[in-house]
Amino acid sequence: MMPLTFADAGEENIIRRVGGKPETKKHLENLGFVVGGRVTVISAIGGDLIVNVKDSRIAISREMAGKIMV
């Protein structure tokens, strides 16, 4: 298991755990980051990530991506 920030671009990963404060976890779940879901890193720009989750492209900060374990 590793943070999403270490995932390779173009590689599909399964979300194993979502950490952080309850409001942070709820926010990430509302964006589609749920345990068992699939996430693919599209690109990393300055540490921030553009990811594909539930057929949507989402930009998330390095801090948020660090709370998503794959």
Side-chain angles (χ1 to χ4, degrees):
M1 204 161 51
M2 65 181 175
L4 185 58
T5 52
F6 293 134
D8 294 326
E11 179 181 305
E12 187 175 73
N13 295 282
I14 305 290
I15 300 170
R16 304 285 182 212
R17 185 169 63 85
V18 178
K21 297 179 182 176
E23 59 269 14
T24 303
K25 289 172 73 169
K26 184 68 176 161
H27 176 68
L28 289 170
E29 287 173 0
N30 288 339
L31 290 174
F33 297 97
V34 294
V35 174
R38 298 180 186 278
V39 61
T40 305
V41 175
I42 304 299
S43 65
I45 303 167
D48 297 334
L49 301 177
I50 297 175
V51 299
N52 199 20
V53 63
K54 294 207 179 223
D55 297 326
S56 298
R57 282 192 180 193
I58 299 173
I60 58 172
S61 69
R62 177 184 201 99
E63 179 185 357
M64 287 287 202
K67 297 180 185 330
I68 302 166
M69 304 301 281
V70 294

